Amino acid sequence: QAKAVMEELVVKETERRTEICRTVMKRNLKQNLSLSWSQFVECIEDRWHKISVLKRVMTTRTHRQLQGAFVCYICQVQTIYEQRDRVQTTMARWKTPDVKKALNSWLNYVDISRAEQLEAAREQLTQQLKEAEASRESHAQAIVAQEAKRRLEICRRAISRMLKQQLSMAWNIFVD
C-alpha cells in the first residue's frame, strides 16, 4: 500500500512538472512570437520611412530641375521681347521699304532659329528628366532589394533562435 501511495505521488509530481513545463513553453512561444512580430513591424515602419525620405529627395530634385528649365525659358522669352522692342524702335526710324523687308526677313530667321533652339533645349531637358527618373527608379529598386535581404536575414535568425529554444526546452523536459 505504501508503494502504491508512492507511485501515485510520483505520478502527481510528474503531472505537475509536465504542466509547469507546458506553461513555461507556452509563455516562451508567446514571447518569441511577440518579439518576432515587433521586429517585423519595426522593419515595415523603417521601410516606409526610407521610402518617404526617398520620395521627398527625388521630388525636391525633380522640382529643382524643372525650376531651372523654367528660369532658362523665361530668360529666353525676355531676351526675345527685348530684341523685338529694339527692332521696332529701329524700324520706326527707318523709312525705306527695302530695309524694312530685309529686317522682317531677318526677324523671321531669328524667330525660326530661336524656335529650333527652344525645341532642342526642350528635347534635352526631356531626356535629362527621363534619365533622372530611370536612375531614381533603379536606386529605389536597389534599396527595396537590400531591405528585403535584410528582413529575410532577420526572420531567418529569429526562426533559428526559436527552434534552438524549443529544442532546449524539449531537451530539458526529456532530462527531467
Side-chain angles (χ1 to χ4, degrees):
Q1 186 177 14
K3 191 175 184 181
V5 170
M6 276 305 268
E7 285 180 15
E8 186 179 322
L9 288 175
V10 168
V11 169
K12 284 184 180 179
E13 182 63 20
T14 304
E15 288 176 2
R16 187 183 71 79
R17 286 185 182 185
T18 304
E19 189 59 34
I20 289 172
C21 288
R22 278 191 190 129
T23 57
V24 168
M25 280 298 291
K26 285 180 182 178
R27 190 179 321 127
N28 283 341
L29 288 175
K30 285 180 183 178
Q31 280 180 333
N32 287 339
L33 181 62
S34 173
L35 289 174
S36 297
W37 178 253
S38 297
Q39 287 177 349
F40 175 74
V41 169
E42 286 175 7
C43 288
I44 297 296
E45 288 173 350
D46 187 42
R47 178 177 180 260
W48 283 112
H49 176 71
K50 286 180 181 179
I51 288 173
S52 67
V53 168
L54 180 65
K55 282 182 181 178
R56 280 194 309 253
V57 167
M58 293 311 293
T59 303
T60 303
R61 191 175 196 188
T62 304
H63 285 308
R64 285 183 187 159
Q65 290 173 346
L66 288 174
Q67 182 183 11
F70 190 69
V71 167
C72 180
Y73 176 75
I74 289 172
C75 290
Q76 290 296 326
V77 169
Q78 187 177 3
T79 304
I80 290 171
Y81 281 139
E82 289 172 359
Q83 287 178 352
R84 284 191 183 197
D85 288 342
R86 276 189 255 136
V87 167
Q88 285 177 353
T89 56
T90 304
M91 283 183 66
R93 287 185 244 146
W94 292 345
K95 301 291 182 184
T96 311
D98 291 334
V99 174
K100 287 182 181 179
K101 198 182 270 184
L103 188 58
N104 282 334
S105 298
W106 181 77
L107 284 176
N108 288 336
Y109 169 75
V110 168
D111 287 341
I112 291 170
S113 65
R114 291 279 184 203
E116 289 173 354
Q117 288 175 353
L118 286 174
E119 184 62 31
R122 188 177 303 121
E123 288 176 9
Q124 184 180 8
L125 285 173
T126 304
Q127 182 65 26
Q128 288 176 352
L129 286 174
K130 286 179 183 177
E131 290 172 1
E133 177 87 12
S135 70
R136 179 181 63 89
E137 287 177 4
S138 66
H139 184 67
Q141 288 175 352
I143 288 174
V144 167
Q146 182 182 10
E147 183 65 21
K149 285 180 184 177
R150 186 180 73 80
R151 272 196 248 125
L152 284 173
E153 181 61 25
I154 288 171
C155 289
R156 186 191 64 75
R157 285 189 302 216
I159 289 171
S160 174
R161 201 176 318 119
M162 287 170 56
L163 289 174
K164 285 178 184 177
Q165 244 180 349
Q166 286 178 350
L167 180 63
S168 173
M169 295 304 287
W171 178 256
N172 287 338
I173 289 171
F174 176 74
V175 169
D176 286 339

